Amino acid sequence: MEQSLIILKPDAVQRGLIGAILSRLEMRGLKFCGLKMIQIDESLARRHYAAHEGKPFFPGLLQYITASPVVVVAVQGKDVIQTIRHTVGATKPIDAAPGTIRGDFGLEVGRNLIHASDSPESGQHEVSLFFQPHELLLWERSADPWIYE
Ligand code: DAT
Ligand code: MG
């Protein structure tokens, strides 16, 4: 079973898009197992984006992700990494297909609204960075037999 970390970035929160974005993910059938609003500090931002350290956009990325509260969501289920990445769309909103979150709500890469883990390994790692074990609920969902064959 894969895990993915979703972050509704500061622009999504400031623009009042929490409900609209979460609703797309929820309607797709994804099951949330952790959800909270936090403000990311510099230390957590550096750990989360460690793979991008040294790139020209890194300082701006840290500034953006720490600027204002975010909503973090842990998702667990079959194939959630690829499913969510496809629903989120390409990194640059200008390249993101219409119908994707970034393709419908965003214009620029530095304001691309949402983070989603890019591999099963990073999903496990990122969920553990943002959630304590007791914050993750492995609940039974009665609709599961109507979502998963
Ligand atoms: P993604 O968020 O689609 O996984 P990523 O992991 O390559 O993309 O990069 C993380 C974030 O860094 C991305 O959401 C926005 C920013 N970023 C990536 N490439 C960038 C670029 N060329 N210029 C400015 N910001 C960039
Ligand atoms: Mg990434």
Side-chain angles (χ1 to χ4, degrees):
M1 206 62 101
E2 290 178 3
Q3 288 191 335
S4 176
L5 180 81
I6 292 167
I7 305 175
L8 305 188
K9 295 179 178 179
D11 48 338
V13 175
Q14 291 282 356
R15 291 174 56 194
L17 296 173
I18 297 172
I21 293 173
L22 284 187
S23 154
R24 289 180 172 216
L25 299 166
E26 194 180 32
M27 285 192 299
R28 183 105 200 245
L30 295 164
K31 187 163 91 172
F32 303 155
C33 56
L35 193 157
K36 61 186 175 180
M37 181 179 249
I38 59 168
Q39 183 138 1
I40 298 178
D41 64 18
E42 190 187 321
S43 151
L44 180 57
R46 282 183 178 279
R47 276 180 286 153
H48 174 64
Y49 280 129
H52 298 293
E53 191 149 13
K55 295 183 183 169
F57 59 82
F58 187 68
L61 184 57
L62 288 190
Q63 210 281 328
Y64 166 44
I65 204 70
T66 59
S68 159
V70 300
V71 171
V72 287
V73 184
V75 180
Q76 183 163 314
K78 183 168 169 270
D79 300 328
V80 292
I81 296 289
Q82 193 184 3
T83 304
I84 296 170
R85 294 286 296 189
H86 282 155
T87 299
V88 163
T91 302
K92 295 183 178 178
I94 199 167
D95 297 329
T100 64
I101 291 164
R102 287 167 170 167
D104 285 352
F105 296 119
L107 293 171
E108 294 205 317
V109 67
R111 298 289 183 269
N112 65 0
L113 298 145
I114 182 167
H115 167 83
S117 307
D118 66 2
S119 69
E121 296 71 34
S122 67
Q124 296 282 345
H125 172 66
E126 291 173 358
V127 167
S128 72
L129 263 184
F130 284 84
F131 287 93
Q132 302 288 321
H134 73 268
E135 294 177 306
L136 298 171
L137 304 178
L138 302 176
W139 54 289
E140 285 284 317
R141 190 172 57 174
S142 57
D144 270 353
W146 301 104
I147 292 169
Y148 293 105
E149 195 174 337

PDB file of all heavy atoms in Angstrom, residues 74-96:
ATOM      1  N   ALA A  74      -2.084  13.325   4.369  1.00  0.00           N
ATOM      2  CA  ALA A  74      -1.479  12.022   4.082  1.00  0.00           C
ATOM      3  C   ALA A  74      -2.545  11.150   3.431  1.00  0.00           C
ATOM      4  O   ALA A  74      -3.692  11.115   3.884  1.00  0.00           O
ATOM      5  CB  ALA A  74      -0.990  11.370   5.370  1.00  0.00           C
ATOM      6  N   VAL A  75      -2.150  10.499   2.339  1.00  0.00           N
ATOM      7  CA  VAL A  75      -3.070   9.639   1.596  1.00  0.00           C
ATOM      8  C   VAL A  75      -2.454   8.249   1.545  1.00  0.00           C
ATOM      9  O   VAL A  75      -1.246   8.109   1.356  1.00  0.00           O
ATOM     10  CB  VAL A  75      -3.279  10.162   0.155  1.00  0.00           C
ATOM     11  CG1 VAL A  75      -4.230   9.273  -0.619  1.00  0.00           C
ATOM     12  CG2 VAL A  75      -3.783  11.592   0.173  1.00  0.00           C
ATOM     13  N   GLN A  76      -3.279   7.248   1.720  1.00  0.00           N
ATOM     14  CA  GLN A  76      -2.778   5.876   1.614  1.00  0.00           C
ATOM     15  C   GLN A  76      -3.683   5.073   0.711  1.00  0.00           C
ATOM     16  O   GLN A  76      -4.909   5.252   0.747  1.00  0.00           O
ATOM     17  CB  GLN A  76      -2.722   5.249   3.008  1.00  0.00           C
ATOM     18  CG  GLN A  76      -2.137   3.844   2.992  1.00  0.00           C
ATOM     19  CD  GLN A  76      -1.711   3.381   4.371  1.00  0.00           C
ATOM     20  OE1 GLN A  76      -1.063   4.106   5.098  1.00  0.00           O
ATOM     21  NE2 GLN A  76      -2.079   2.168   4.716  1.00  0.00           N
ATOM     22  N   GLY A  77      -3.104   4.222  -0.115  1.00  0.00           N
ATOM     23  CA  GLY A  77      -3.933   3.368  -0.964  1.00  0.00           C
ATOM     24  C   GLY A  77      -3.137   2.815  -2.132  1.00  0.00           C
ATOM     25  O   GLY A  77      -1.962   3.136  -2.322  1.00  0.00           O
ATOM     26  N   LYS A  78      -3.816   2.021  -2.946  1.00  0.00           N
ATOM     27  CA  LYS A  78      -3.200   1.399  -4.120  1.00  0.00           C
ATOM     28  C   LYS A  78      -2.871   2.472  -5.152  1.00  0.00           C
ATOM     29  O   LYS A  78      -3.739   3.282  -5.504  1.00  0.00           O
ATOM     30  CB  LYS A  78      -4.217   0.394  -4.683  1.00  0.00           C
ATOM     31  CG  LYS A  78      -3.767  -0.405  -5.856  1.00  0.00           C
ATOM     32  CD  LYS A  78      -4.762  -1.548  -6.101  1.00  0.00           C
ATOM     33  CE  LYS A  78      -4.504  -2.227  -7.411  1.00  0.00           C
ATOM     34  NZ  LYS A  78      -5.249  -1.608  -8.520  1.00  0.00           N
ATOM     35  N   ASP A  79      -1.631   2.491  -5.626  1.00  0.00           N
ATOM     36  CA  ASP A  79      -1.203   3.378  -6.727  1.00  0.00           C
ATOM     37  C   ASP A  79      -1.456   4.870  -6.458  1.00  0.00           C
ATOM     38  O   ASP A  79      -1.667   5.633  -7.412  1.00  0.00           O
ATOM     39  CB  ASP A  79      -1.912   2.989  -8.036  1.00  0.00           C
ATOM     40  CG  ASP A  79      -1.613   1.562  -8.465  1.00  0.00           C
ATOM     41  OD1 ASP A  79      -0.491   1.091  -8.185  1.00  0.00           O
ATOM     42  OD2 ASP A  79      -2.498   0.916  -9.069  1.00  0.00           O
ATOM     43  N   VAL A  80      -1.430   5.287  -5.210  1.00  0.00           N
ATOM     44  CA  VAL A  80      -1.776   6.695  -4.941  1.00  0.00           C
ATOM     45  C   VAL A  80      -0.737   7.687  -5.487  1.00  0.00           C
ATOM     46  O   VAL A  80      -1.084   8.817  -5.830  1.00  0.00           O
ATOM     47  CB  VAL A  80      -2.043   6.974  -3.438  1.00  0.00           C
ATOM     48  CG1 VAL A  80      -3.318   6.279  -2.985  1.00  0.00           C
ATOM     49  CG2 VAL A  80      -0.865   6.609  -2.560  1.00  0.00           C
ATOM     50  N   ILE A  81       0.521   7.264  -5.586  1.00  0.00           N
ATOM     51  CA  ILE A  81       1.552   8.200  -6.076  1.00  0.00           C
ATOM     52  C   ILE A  81       1.215   8.657  -7.501  1.00  0.00           C
ATOM     53  O   ILE A  81       1.075   9.852  -7.772  1.00  0.00           O
ATOM     54  CB  ILE A  81       2.961   7.544  -6.043  1.00  0.00           C
ATOM     55  CG1 ILE A  81       3.376   7.236  -4.611  1.00  0.00           C
ATOM     56  CG2 ILE A  81       3.977   8.413  -6.773  1.00  0.00           C
ATOM     57  CD1 ILE A  81       3.700   8.402  -3.743  1.00  0.00           C
ATOM     58  N   GLN A  82       1.073   7.699  -8.402  1.00  0.00           N
ATOM     59  CA  GLN A  82       0.822   8.034  -9.815  1.00  0.00           C
ATOM     60  C   GLN A  82      -0.552   8.684  -9.995  1.00  0.00           C
ATOM     61  O   GLN A  82      -0.702   9.636 -10.766  1.00  0.00           O
ATOM     62  CB  GLN A  82       0.925   6.765 -10.668  1.00  0.00           C
ATOM     63  CG  GLN A  82       0.982   7.062 -12.144  1.00  0.00           C
ATOM     64  CD  GLN A  82       0.985   5.801 -13.003  1.00  0.00           C
ATOM     65  OE1 GLN A  82       0.883   4.687 -12.510  1.00  0.00           O
ATOM     66  NE2 GLN A  82       1.101   5.992 -14.300  1.00  0.00           N
ATOM     67  N   THR A  83      -1.535   8.175  -9.269  1.00  0.00           N
ATOM     68  CA  THR A  83      -2.884   8.738  -9.369  1.00  0.00           C
ATOM     69  C   THR A  83      -2.871  10.221  -9.008  1.00  0.00           C
ATOM     70  O   THR A  83      -3.431  11.062  -9.734  1.00  0.00           O
ATOM     71  CB  THR A  83      -3.844   7.990  -8.412  1.00  0.00           C
ATOM     72  OG1 THR A  83      -3.808   6.601  -8.718  1.00  0.00           O
ATOM     73  CG2 THR A  83      -5.258   8.503  -8.545  1.00  0.00           C
ATOM     74  N   ILE A  84      -2.231  10.539  -7.894  1.00  0.00           N
ATOM     75  CA  ILE A  84      -2.244  11.933  -7.439  1.00  0.00           C
ATOM     76  C   ILE A  84      -1.393  12.810  -8.353  1.00  0.00           C
ATOM     77  O   ILE A  84      -1.790  13.924  -8.703  1.00  0.00           O
ATOM     78  CB  ILE A  84      -1.781  12.031  -5.968  1.00  0.00           C
ATOM     79  CG1 ILE A  84      -2.768  11.290  -5.064  1.00  0.00           C
ATOM     80  CG2 ILE A  84      -1.651  13.489  -5.532  1.00  0.00           C
ATOM     81  CD1 ILE A  84      -2.301  11.110  -3.631  1.00  0.00           C
ATOM     82  N   ARG A  85      -0.230  12.320  -8.784  1.00  0.00           N
ATOM     83  CA  ARG A  85       0.609  13.123  -9.692  1.00  0.00           C
ATOM     84  C   ARG A  85      -0.164  13.467 -10.968  1.00  0.00           C
ATOM     85  O   ARG A  85      -0.068  14.582 -11.477  1.00  0.00           O
ATOM     86  CB  ARG A  85       1.907  12.383 -10.047  1.00  0.00           C
ATOM     87  CG  ARG A  85       2.876  12.150  -8.898  1.00  0.00           C
ATOM     88  CD  ARG A  85       3.624  13.372  -8.449  1.00  0.00           C
ATOM     89  NE  ARG A  85       4.514  13.926  -9.449  1.00  0.00           N
ATOM     90  CZ  ARG A  85       5.392  14.907  -9.198  1.00  0.00           C
ATOM     91  NH1 ARG A  85       5.504  15.431  -7.973  1.00  0.00           N
ATOM     92  NH2 ARG A  85       6.158  15.385 -10.139  1.00  0.00           N
ATOM     93  N   HIS A  86      -0.921  12.538 -11.485  1.00  0.00           N
ATOM     94  CA  HIS A  86      -1.696  12.824 -12.701  1.00  0.00           C
ATOM     95  C   HIS A  86      -2.809  13.832 -12.437  1.00  0.00           C
ATOM     96  O   HIS A  86      -3.112  14.670 -13.299  1.00  0.00           O
ATOM     97  CB  HIS A  86      -2.289  11.525 -13.275  1.00  0.00           C
ATOM     98  CG  HIS A  86      -1.280  10.706 -14.020  1.00  0.00           C
ATOM     99  ND1 HIS A  86      -1.398   9.343 -14.187  1.00  0.00           N
ATOM    100  CD2 HIS A  86      -0.123  11.047 -14.628  1.00  0.00           C
ATOM    101  CE1 HIS A  86      -0.369   8.894 -14.891  1.00  0.00           C
ATOM    102  NE2 HIS A  86       0.433   9.912 -15.162  1.00  0.00           N
ATOM    103  N   THR A  87      -3.415  13.747 -11.277  1.00  0.00           N
ATOM    104  CA  THR A  87      -4.487  14.694 -10.934  1.00  0.00           C
ATOM    105  C   THR A  87      -3.923  16.087 -10.676  1.00  0.00           C
ATOM    106  O   THR A  87      -4.565  17.096 -10.980  1.00  0.00           O
ATOM    107  CB  THR A  87      -5.275  14.170  -9.706  1.00  0.00           C
ATOM    108  OG1 THR A  87      -5.864  12.915 -10.057  1.00  0.00           O
ATOM    109  CG2 THR A  87      -6.374  15.112  -9.284  1.00  0.00           C
ATOM    110  N   VAL A  88      -2.692  16.142 -10.149  1.00  0.00           N
ATOM    111  CA  VAL A  88      -2.031  17.428  -9.847  1.00  0.00           C
ATOM    112  C   VAL A  88      -1.567  18.122 -11.132  1.00  0.00           C
ATOM    113  O   VAL A  88      -1.691  19.340 -11.260  1.00  0.00           O
ATOM    114  CB  VAL A  88      -0.848  17.194  -8.878  1.00  0.00           C
ATOM    115  CG1 VAL A  88       0.115  18.374  -8.852  1.00  0.00           C
ATOM    116  CG2 VAL A  88      -1.384  16.897  -7.474  1.00  0.00           C
ATOM    117  N   GLY A  89      -1.020  17.373 -12.071  1.00  0.00           N
ATOM    118  CA  GLY A  89      -0.520  17.957 -13.323  1.00  0.00           C
ATOM    119  C   GLY A  89       0.956  18.309 -13.267  1.00  0.00           C
ATOM    120  O   GLY A  89       1.609  18.180 -12.238  1.00  0.00           O
ATOM    121  N   ALA A  90       1.478  18.772 -14.400  1.00  0.00           N
ATOM    122  CA  ALA A  90       2.907  19.050 -14.555  1.00  0.00           C
ATOM    123  C   ALA A  90       3.371  20.155 -13.601  1.00  0.00           C
ATOM    124  O   ALA A  90       2.590  21.026 -13.213  1.00  0.00           O
ATOM    125  CB  ALA A  90       3.199  19.448 -15.997  1.00  0.00           C
ATOM    126  N   THR A  91       4.664  20.101 -13.269  1.00  0.00           N
ATOM    127  CA  THR A  91       5.265  21.059 -12.320  1.00  0.00           C
ATOM    128  C   THR A  91       4.997  22.499 -12.734  1.00  0.00           C
ATOM    129  O   THR A  91       4.666  23.344 -11.894  1.00  0.00           O
ATOM    130  CB  THR A  91       6.782  20.790 -12.235  1.00  0.00           C
ATOM    131  OG1 THR A  91       6.988  19.432 -11.824  1.00  0.00           O
ATOM    132  CG2 THR A  91       7.451  21.728 -11.243  1.00  0.00           C
ATOM    133  N   LYS A  92       5.184  22.790 -14.024  1.00  0.00           N
ATOM    134  CA  LYS A  92       4.922  24.149 -14.525  1.00  0.00           C
ATOM    135  C   LYS A  92       3.461  24.216 -14.969  1.00  0.00           C
ATOM    136  O   LYS A  92       3.076  23.530 -15.939  1.00  0.00           O
ATOM    137  CB  LYS A  92       5.834  24.485 -15.702  1.00  0.00           C
ATOM    138  CG  LYS A  92       7.299  24.543 -15.314  1.00  0.00           C
ATOM    139  CD  LYS A  92       8.183  24.956 -16.478  1.00  0.00           C
ATOM    140  CE  LYS A  92       9.630  25.033 -16.005  1.00  0.00           C
ATOM    141  NZ  LYS A  92      10.574  25.376 -17.071  1.00  0.00           N
ATOM    142  N   PRO A  93       2.660  25.044 -14.314  1.00  0.00           N
ATOM    143  CA  PRO A  93       1.236  25.106 -14.683  1.00  0.00           C
ATOM    144  C   PRO A  93       1.001  25.367 -16.166  1.00  0.00           C
ATOM    145  O   PRO A  93       0.005  24.898 -16.738  1.00  0.00           O
ATOM    146  CB  PRO A  93       0.714  26.253 -13.807  1.00  0.00           C
ATOM    147  CG  PRO A  93       1.567  26.180 -12.585  1.00  0.00           C
ATOM    148  CD  PRO A  93       2.943  25.829 -13.107  1.00  0.00           C
ATOM    149  N   ILE A  94       1.934  26.064 -16.807  1.00  0.00           N
ATOM    150  CA  ILE A  94       1.762  26.347 -18.244  1.00  0.00           C
ATOM    151  C   ILE A  94       1.808  25.058 -19.070  1.00  0.00           C
ATOM    152  O   ILE A  94       1.218  24.980 -20.152  1.00  0.00           O
ATOM    153  CB  ILE A  94       2.831  27.373 -18.710  1.00  0.00           C
ATOM    154  CG1 ILE A  94       2.406  28.031 -20.010  1.00  0.00           C
ATOM    155  CG2 ILE A  94       4.203  26.747 -18.832  1.00  0.00           C
ATOM    156  CD1 ILE A  94       3.237  29.254 -20.378  1.00  0.00           C
ATOM    157  N   ASP A  95       2.492  24.028 -18.528  1.00  0.00           N
ATOM    158  CA  ASP A  95       2.559  22.727 -19.199  1.00  0.00           C
ATOM    159  C   ASP A  95       1.492  21.755 -18.707  1.00  0.00           C
ATOM    160  O   ASP A  95       1.369  20.644 -19.239  1.00  0.00           O
ATOM    161  CB  ASP A  95       3.923  22.060 -18.950  1.00  0.00           C
ATOM    162  CG  ASP A  95       5.073  22.872 -19.527  1.00  0.00           C
ATOM    163  OD1 ASP A  95       4.867  23.543 -20.547  1.00  0.00           O
ATOM    164  OD2 ASP A  95       6.180  22.823 -18.939  1.00  0.00           O
ATOM    165  N   ALA A  96       0.768  22.134 -17.656  1.00  0.00           N
ATOM    166  CA  ALA A  96      -0.178  21.199 -17.033  1.00  0.00           C
ATOM    167  C   ALA A  96      -1.466  21.146 -17.850  1.00  0.00           C
ATOM    168  O   ALA A  96      -1.999  22.176 -18.269  1.00  0.00           O
ATOM    169  CB  ALA A  96      -0.467  21.629 -15.590  1.00  0.00           C
TER     170      ALA A  96
END
